[in-house]
Amino acid sequence: MTHHTTLTPPQPSTRPSGTTASAPLRGARQRSVTWAQVRAALPGALRGMDPRTLRHSPVLLVVEGGAVLTTVLAAASPSLFSWLVTLWLWATVFFATLAESIAEARGRAQASSLRATQRTTTARKVVAPRDTLASGTSLGELPAVEVASADLTVGDVVVVVAGETIPGDGDVIEGVATVDESAITGESAPVIRESGGDRCAVTGGTVVLSDRIVVRITNPPGQSFVDRMIALVEGSERQRTPNEVALNLLLTALTAVFVLAVATLQPFAVYSGARQDVIVLVALLVCLIPTTIGALLSAIGIAGMDRLVQRNVLAMSGRAVEAAGDVDVLLLDKTGTITYGNRRATDLLPVGDAGEAELAAAARLASLADDTPEGRSIVELVDHRSDAPAGELPAGSELVPFTAQTRMSGVDLPGTPGEGAVRLRKGAASAVQRWLRSTAAQPTAETLDELSRQVDSVARTGGTPLVVAQQLGDAPARVLGVVHLKDVVKDGVRERFDELRAMGIRTVMVTGDNAVTARAIAAEAGVDDVLAEATPEDKLALIRREQEGGRLVAMAGDGTNDAPALAQSDVGVAMASGTSAAKEAGNMVDLDSDPTKLIEIVEVGKQLLITRGALTTFSVANDVAKYFAILPAMFVGFFPQLGLLNVMGLHSPESAIVSAVIFNALVILALVPLALRGVRYRPSSASALLRRNLCVYGLGGLVAPFLGIKLIDLAVSLLPGL
C-alpha cells in the first residue's frame, strides 16, 4: 500500500574526500565578461548586423533601417547633428549584436574545452551474429574487429578493457569496471559501472581504469551527450523558448505601434506648422521602441542556458529551463538526495546494568569484522567519542565476520586467568536473540523486557536497532544495549527546503520505506509531503494529480522504473550514470549524476525568468526620460510652453536628441554584464520578488536615464554647433 502523508519542510552534494571539480564546464565559471571574450565576439557582432540575421529581432531591424536612412540623409546634407545621430544608431545595433555574440563566444569557449576531451579512438567491435550474442556465450570472448569509433552505429557491441577509452555513449551489458569520468564530470574519484542495474550507462570519451566491460552503443560519436552539449553551448541548437517567443511578439507589437505613431506625427506636425526633420523622427522612434530588452533578449536566453551547462547539466530544450523556473512541486528521492544513502550509527542505548562506556567498547569490538557501511559507522561513532576506548585487540582474538545469513558480527576474546573467554556479538535483534538461545544462557526476563522496549522505541522513530550482547565464559549472557542506526539527513537540507518553501515550491519525498520510517525522516528533513512505499505507478499517478491541478512538477531519477515519471514531469532530470531509458525519458541529463542538482536547476530557471523580467521592466521604464528629452526638443521652437517639460535643463534641442540617442546605445552596453551574469536570485515569494524588481529595476529605469542623459548632454554641449 502506498502512504501519502502531509507534514508541516540540499545542500549541494557532498563530494567524496579528495575529489576535485576541474571539468571543463566547471572551470568555465568566470567573470561575466572579459576583454578576451569581447575581442573574440567582435567578428560575430559584425556578422550579426546582417539584416538577414536581424530578422529574428524586428526591434533591431527597425533600428538598423533607421540607421541606413539617416546615413543617406546625413550624406546628402552633412551636419554634426546628423552624423552624430547616425553614428550612435549604428552603435546601438552593434552593441545589441555584440551582447549576443559575447554570450555565444562564452559558449564556444566551453565547447572548445569539451571538444578537447574528445578524440577519435579505435573500438573493438563484436562481429558475432545476433543468435550468437543471445546464446549465453561471454561477449568478451567472441570475435571482434577493430574499427574507428566514428564508424560505430546504434546497437553495436564493443569490448573495452583497462586503459582504453569508451568510444561512445552506451550501456554496460556484461562485466564490471572502474571508470574515470573526470574529463566530463570533474570528479577525480573513479566510479563503478556494471551491467544489470541503474549504474550501467557509460559516456563516450571516459576511460576504463580496471577490468573489462562490454558496451552496447546507444549514442555513437557525433550523437553523444557531449556532442549534443557542444552544439548546445555553441548556440547552434538553441531554440527560442515559448516565453521568449511571446516576449518577442510583444516587443514587435510595441515597435509597430511606435512606428505608426511616429509616422503619423509628421502630418500633424506639418498641419501645426512644426514640420520635423526625418532624422529627428528616426531618433524619436529608436528611443521610444524597446531597444534595450530587444537587444539583450537573446543574450539573456543564451546566458541562462550557459549557467545550466556550467553546472554540468544538459538541457534538451530551453523550454525545460524555463519550466524549471516555474516549478511548483519538487519530487526528491530519499536515499542519496535527502539522506546520505547508508544508515549510520547515531546513538548507544545501554540496557540493564551495562554502562554506556562498556556498551561502546563492546559495540566497537564486535563491529571490527563488519565491513558494511553500518558496521564502519559504529566504529566511527565510538572513535569520535571523547572517552573512546582503546581499539587494539588482544593477541589470540578471533574475529567473527558479518554475513548476510547470520546478520551478526563479533569477536571472541581470550579469557584472563580465572575467567573464561569473552564472546561479543552485534547484529539484528532477532539474530542476536537466536544466538542467545543457542548459548543456553538466557538473560533475565527483566533485561529482555527492557531490551524489547528499547528496540521498539528505535523502530517507532524509523530507525534500525542493532543489539549488542556479551557472554563471559559459562556465565549467563548479558545484553549490553542497543545501537541506533538511522538514515542520516544531509547537513543543510532543512535550510534548503526552507528556501524552496520561500520560493513557493512544495517538496515531496519519494521513498520505498514504510510509512513510519518515511514520516520520521521527512519530519527531520523538513519535507512538505511524503510518498512512502512508492512504486513507479505511484510516482506517475502523483505527478498526474499535481499537473491536473495546474502545477508544474520536477523530479530526478536514474532507473528504467523512473522513465514513465521522468517523461510525465515538466522537468525530468535523468542521471548520466543511469539507464538509457531514463535519459531518453527526461528533458535534462545531469552529467554529475547528483540528484540534489535538481534544486540548483530550479534556481537557474528562476534566475533566467527574473533576469528577463527585470530587464524588461528597466527597458520600459527608461523610455519615460526620453520623452522629457526628445519631445520638448522637437516642438519647443514652435510651442515655447513645452519648455516646462525640459526638467533636465538640457542645453539645446539638438544636444537633447543626441544625448538621448547616445544614452539609448550606451545603456545596452552597460547592461550586457548583468544580462550574462543574471540578476541575483534570493529565495522569496513571487510578490516579494515583484516588489523588489519594481523598486530596483522599475524605479532605477526611471531615474538612471534622467541622470545619464543629463551627464551626456553636459559633454555633448561642449561640441561646437550643438
Side-chain angles (χ1 to χ4, degrees):
M1 173 181 291
T2 299
H3 300 272
H4 188 197
T5 306
T6 300
L7 306 175
T8 54
Q11 82 178 23
S13 65
T14 302
R15 298 185 186 278
S17 177
T19 63
T20 61
S22 59
L25 297 185
R26 284 201 185 85
R29 293 193 185 191
Q30 54 206 357
R31 291 181 298 163
S32 56
V33 181
T34 64
W35 284 113
Q37 291 171 349
V38 173
R39 288 194 298 271
L42 290 177
L46 293 174
R47 290 192 299 270
M49 296 176 71
D50 187 329
R52 292 169 296 182
T53 304
L54 287 179
R55 285 182 302 175
H56 69 272
S57 178
V59 176
L60 298 182
L61 191 60
V62 168
V63 176
E64 187 171 61
V68 171
L69 178 59
T70 58
T71 301
V72 174
L73 295 175
S77 180
S79 69
L80 178 61
F81 170 75
S82 60
W83 280 118
L84 281 175
V85 171
T86 299
L87 173 66
W88 284 99
L89 289 181
W90 282 113
T92 302
V93 180
F94 176 73
F95 292 158
T97 58
L98 181 64
E100 182 173 357
S101 185
I102 290 175
E104 291 176 346
R106 284 154 54 98
R108 285 193 296 272
Q110 293 185 18
S112 298
S113 298
L114 276 174
R115 194 173 281 109
T117 68
Q118 294 186 308
R119 54 185 175 183
T120 301
T121 61
T122 300
R124 286 188 292 159
K125 175 183 172 183
V126 176
V127 294
R130 292 182 179 273
D131 55 350
T132 304
L133 293 177
S135 66
T137 305
S138 174
L139 297 175
E141 298 174 358
L142 293 174
V145 61
E146 290 191 352
V147 299
S149 58
D151 295 332
L152 293 174
T153 59
V154 175
D156 284 346
V157 176
V158 297
V159 180
V160 190
V161 300
E164 294 183 348
T165 300
I166 297 172
D169 294 351
D171 292 330
V172 178
I173 58 175
E174 182 179 292
V176 57
T178 55
V179 179
D180 177 11
E181 296 185 343
S182 59
I184 304 299
T185 67
E187 299 289 356
S188 60
V191 296
I192 302 294
R193 293 291 176 256
E194 58 186 337
S195 62
D198 290 344
R199 301 292 172 181
C200 65
V202 290
T203 304
T206 57
V207 180
V208 174
L209 298 180
S210 69
D211 303 290
R212 179 188 67 181
I213 52 177
V214 180
V215 178
R216 177 177 285 116
I217 299 298
T218 56
N219 291 303
Q223 304 173 31
S224 68
F225 283 107
V226 175
D227 291 300
R228 292 160 71 180
M229 179 169 282
I230 289 172
L232 177 71
V233 298
E234 285 184 325
S236 59
E237 285 193 359
R238 195 188 83 87
Q239 297 179 343
R240 292 178 176 272
T241 64
N243 285 347
E244 194 173 346
V245 171
L247 181 56
N248 200 52
L249 289 174
L250 175 62
L251 298 181
T252 302
L254 289 175
T255 300
V257 169
F258 282 118
V259 167
L260 291 174
V262 172
T264 56
L265 181 63
Q266 184 73 310
F268 288 102
V270 171
Y271 179 78
S272 303
R275 184 185 183 90
Q276 297 297 314
D277 190 295
V278 174
I279 292 180
V280 173
L281 293 174
V282 171
L284 173 65
L285 173 63
V286 171
C287 288
L288 293 186
I289 63 177
T291 51
T292 304
I293 186 59
L296 298 174
L297 183 60
S298 184
I300 293 170
I302 295 173
M305 301 290 288
D306 176 72
R307 286 190 291 275
L308 194 63
V309 169
Q310 287 177 6
R311 289 161 173 80
N312 263 14
V313 177
L314 170 61
M316 304 305 178
S317 69
R319 180 191 298 267
V321 184
E322 281 192 351
D326 286 328
V327 161
D328 302 294
V329 181
L330 201 60
L331 269 60
L332 295 166
D333 187 49
K334 183 204 74 174
T335 304
T337 304
I338 296 174
T339 67
Y340 282 103
N342 294 312
R343 293 170 301 174
R344 296 186 178 186
T346 59
D347 201 5
L348 300 172
L349 308 172
V351 170
D353 60 353
E356 187 171 344
E358 182 182 13
L359 171 60
R364 185 187 186 283
L365 292 174
S367 300
L368 292 177
D370 183 358
D371 198 36
T372 64
E374 292 82 1
R376 291 194 297 269
S377 75
I378 295 174
V379 176
E380 292 172 2
L381 174 67
V382 176
D383 285 348
H384 283 83
R385 290 162 52 98
S386 58
D387 57 344
E392 295 298 327
L393 285 172
S397 299
E398 183 179 348
L399 292 172
V400 179
F402 173 87
T403 67
Q405 290 73 33
T406 64
R407 295 194 299 157
M408 285 195 311
S409 65
V411 62
D412 293 339
L413 305 174
T416 58
E419 296 182 356
V422 178
R423 305 169 68 196
L424 298 174
R425 295 293 183 271
K426 177 272 306 176
S430 59
V432 173
Q433 287 174 351
R434 282 196 303 270
W435 176 77
L436 290 173
R437 287 194 294 269
S438 70
T439 64
Q442 284 278 19
T444 64
E446 292 79 5
T447 300
L448 292 177
D449 288 342
E450 184 178 357
L451 173 64
S452 179
R453 288 194 296 272
Q454 291 281 31
V455 168
D456 290 343
S457 175
V458 171
R460 280 196 300 272
T461 63
T464 300
L466 296 181
V467 177
V468 180
Q470 176 194 69
Q471 186 182 28
L472 179 60
D474 295 328
R478 296 174 60 214
V479 175
L480 302 181
V482 175
V483 178
H484 185 176
L485 290 181
K486 63 176 293 187
D487 281 314
V488 178
V489 174
K490 291 182 178 180
D491 298 333
V493 163
R494 176 176 283 274
E495 289 74 15
R496 293 301 296 271
F497 286 147
D498 288 341
E499 292 177 6
L500 289 170
R501 184 178 293 104
M503 299 179 198
I505 297 174
R506 184 165 59 88
T507 53
V508 180
M509 185 183 80
V510 180
T511 176
D513 287 345
N514 62 70
V516 173
T517 300
R519 282 196 296 268
I521 294 173
E524 182 179 355
V527 182
D528 294 321
D529 291 348
V530 175
L531 184 65
E533 300 178 13
T535 65
E537 293 78 13
D538 297 328
K539 297 178 188 177
L540 188 60
L542 174 62
I543 293 172
R544 286 174 173 168
R545 286 198 303 272
E546 297 291 347
Q547 291 173 332
E548 287 171 359
R551 291 175 285 273
L552 296 185
V553 181
M555 75 161 288
D558 59 1
T560 301
N561 62 344
D562 293 323
L566 287 171
Q568 183 67 36
S569 300
D570 299 285
V571 180
V573 183
M575 304 296 104
S577 61
T579 63
S580 296
K583 289 188 286 188
E584 292 301 325
N587 48 27
M588 293 187 186
V589 176
D590 175 20
L591 296 182
D592 289 334
S593 299
D594 174 14
T596 62
K597 191 77 68 67
L598 195 57
I599 297 176
E600 291 185 56
I601 291 171
V602 170
E603 291 176 347
V604 169
K606 286 189 174 295
Q607 187 183 35
L608 170 64
L609 296 178
I610 290 171
T611 301
R612 187 182 294 152
L615 293 186
T616 300
T617 302
F618 185 91
S619 177
V620 173
N622 72 19
D623 285 342
V624 174
K626 300 169 192 174
Y627 299 151
F628 285 90
I630 294 183
L631 291 178
M634 292 175 62
F635 297 105
V636 70
F638 304 96
F639 305 103
Q641 300 89 339
L642 291 177
L644 295 174
L645 297 180
N646 186 18
V647 295
M648 289 178 277
L650 302 179
H651 178 262
S652 67
E654 290 80 6
S655 70
I657 294 171
V658 170
S659 298
V661 172
I662 293 175
F663 176 84
N664 194 61
L666 291 180
V667 74
I668 295 172
L669 197 61
L671 290 176
V672 168
L674 181 61
L676 299 182
R677 184 179 64 249
V679 174
R680 184 179 178 184
Y681 172 67
R682 297 182 180 89
S684 58
S685 64
S687 58
L689 285 173
L690 179 61
R691 286 195 301 271
R692 175 177 174 271
N693 285 341
L694 286 177
C695 290
V696 174
Y697 297 98
L699 185 60
L702 285 173
V703 174
F706 281 93
L707 298 176
I709 291 174
K710 178 60 179 178
L711 292 175
I712 295 171
D713 180 74
L714 292 175
V716 169
S717 63
L718 300 177
L719 297 174
L722 291 179

